[in-house]
Amino acid sequence: MELIVCTPLRIERAAVVRGLRPNRARVVRLGMGPARTRERAAQVPDIGLVVVLGVAGGLAPDVRPTDIVVASDVMVHDGQPIACHGAESLADAMRRIIARLVVVRPP
């Protein structure tokens, strides 16, 4: 199964590429905003695990720089939530290896 890492911004993509070992994942920059994200996400092949990495500025008041955020749901363009299956298992596994983890749930 291939890992596909999506980032909204060019600077986020550069940081991810620097931090990955060669040939470990495909890194795709989606762009910022719903229209660009929709357009570019439609071009991402449905062949593996998709992870979105980014700065997440202003996501929630309790999120601090360097926090790792695991979303339980993501919102699509029409405002409907889509459950992120496995989010709790991922969060549990990550809590064992990092100091601070934030699980963000929609209001």
Side-chain angles (χ1 to χ4, degrees):
M1 179 179 294
E2 183 177 9
L3 173 62
I4 300 170
V5 180
C6 299
T7 65
L9 304 178
R10 185 176 292 120
I11 193 166
E12 293 164 336
R13 182 185 187 286
V16 169
V17 168
R18 266 194 319 271
L20 284 177
R21 289 186 222 144
N23 303 316
R24 298 296 287 191
R26 182 185 308 196
V27 183
V28 178
R29 184 176 67 88
L30 296 177
M32 195 165 94
R36 283 191 189 122
T37 300
R38 237 186 336 273
E39 177 185 316
R40 292 184 182 153
Q43 299 169 7
V44 174
D46 187 15
I47 57 172
L49 177 64
V50 176
V51 177
V52 179
L53 296 176
V55 175
L59 181 66
D62 58 334
V63 176
R64 302 182 314 218
T66 72
D67 281 351
I68 294 177
V69 176
V70 176
S72 61
D73 299 77
V74 293
M75 303 298 270
V76 294
H77 66 337
D78 63 1
Q80 295 299 310
I82 296 176
C84 297
H85 300 288
E88 290 298 330
S89 297
L90 174 61
D92 290 342
M94 294 194 69
R95 281 186 189 100
R96 290 191 287 271
I97 61 171
I98 63 168
R100 180 167 158 81
L101 178 84
V102 178
V103 177
V104 176
R105 293 177 179 80

